[in-house]
Amino acid sequence: MAPRRSGKSSKNPPIFSHEFFIQNHADIVSCIAMVFIIGLMFQATSPVASLFITMQNNSTVNDSANVEHIVYSSGSRDLFTTFFYFLICIVIHAVLQEYVLDKLNRKMHLSKIKHSKFNESGQLLIFFLVSAVWGADILFRENYVTSVNQLWEGYPHTQLPFIVKFFFIIQLAYWVHNYPELYFQKIRKEEMSGRLQYTTIYLIFIAAAYFLNFNRVALCALVLHYTVESLYHMALLCHFSEKADLAKTIFMVFNVLFVLVRLGTITLAVLTFWYGLAQSNNAVIDIATGNFNTYIVRINCLVAIGLCQAGLMWNFITFHLRKLREKSPSSKKLRSPSKKKAEPKAVLPEELDSLPEVDQNSATENGNVRARKVKK
């Protein structure tokens, strides 16, 4: 059974209450996933269970040496497979939270805001690192790195190896699982909008690339993006751990690579959608063969990628400009003016007699009575 993510309280919440589901969501989800796995063991339920667990839309092709290979394509049945691995992502998320991140949090005694940021960066760092290494291995294994022409030659790329299809299914499942995690992790309203925004953007771009059969260029862009994002979250974790020197070094590397990755992604998009795919342009979309290589689709994809990269660069530039303004001497003077606190005005003895009794006592206790000048 999966660990109980929030089982720190000794009180047992009422069954079917919100707190009950939050505390036991990993156990509940793991039981649902176990039902599909057990279904593979019985002949009557095996076809339905395999629809969720195994990769769908497969076919057999022969290569030049007349050796049979099983290849896969995208389709509507991938939604069932995505749902199963969506459950697995929730369970793995709870395991990492319980056995890794929570233990580190207890040692560092972080505040509530830093606690939430630490958990977010920790989860994303693990996912980005695994995805970047996994994607890079696919790029070298399929020889996409040695020949850039393969990003558009032979389109539509409907015959995917198992490892490529499984990679995209896991990507879709992970970003879908982020939505219920907002509820399970009790994310504050102030942080929810930001997480919903980047989760939705990731999901839209990956799903569009997968179902429109632009998986090769998407794989290259994801490896580049995930690599630099893993550095960013690694630096954040070092910052939360009070390792300032190491965090500063990683942030410096991230700043350089961030700009290079933005340029690299734009270059890949232009080469693929503007030059490469234009050589085999179609007049209309052919859904039967999975060919979406039309001028309108290519331009929309290119504009979407360009706007996304421009938005990332805009946030990056404005962040660093704000940091420079905060470090400038003029801003420090404005934020911390050197105004001395006004001292209470002293009261003369003859003025003290004219004050009410309450004010006389107050002035006397505060020592605001001047000494009377002695006349000679």
Side-chain angles (χ1 to χ4, degrees), residues 131-148:
S131 298
V133 173
W134 187 8
D137 177 68
I138 294 174
L139 291 178
F140 284 101
R141 184 180 300 181
E142 300 297 326
N143 297 322
Y144 295 159
V145 178
T146 57
S147 178
V148 183

Side-chain angles (χ1 to χ4, degrees), residues 5-123:
R5 163 71 187 86
S6 302
K8 298 177 182 178
S9 176
S10 58
K11 297 180 180 179
N12 294 322
I15 298 178
F16 301 123
S17 64
H18 289 286
E19 194 63 30
F20 176 82
F21 282 110
I22 291 174
Q23 288 188 13
N24 302 280
H25 75 271
D27 291 333
I28 296 171
V29 170
S30 60
C31 288
I32 297 173
M34 192 63 66
V35 171
F36 293 106
I37 296 175
I38 294 176
L40 289 175
M41 303 178 183
F42 302 96
Q43 187 175 0
T45 58
S46 180
V48 178
S50 61
L51 183 65
F52 288 87
I53 299 175
T54 60
M55 298 296 108
Q56 301 299 311
N57 304 301
N58 59 319
S59 59
T60 304
V61 295
N62 295 329
D63 59 8
S64 57
N66 202 23
V67 178
E68 291 187 351
H69 294 278
I70 299 177
V71 294
Y72 299 85
S73 60
S74 59
S76 58
R77 287 187 292 177
D78 291 332
L79 299 177
F80 298 99
T81 313
T82 303
F83 174 76
F84 175 78
Y85 290 99
F86 152 82
L87 301 177
I88 301 301
C89 286
I90 293 178
V91 176
I92 295 176
H93 187 116
V95 171
L96 292 174
Q97 189 67 46
E98 180 73 16
Y99 292 109
V100 180
L101 298 177
D102 281 350
K103 290 184 177 181
L104 293 174
N105 272 316
R106 283 192 289 268
K107 291 181 180 180
M108 291 186 291
H109 305 289
L110 300 175
S111 62
K112 287 185 178 180
I113 297 177
K114 288 186 177 181
H115 177 89
S116 177
K117 293 291 184 182
F118 184 88
N119 290 338
E120 180 187 12
S121 293
Q123 295 283 353

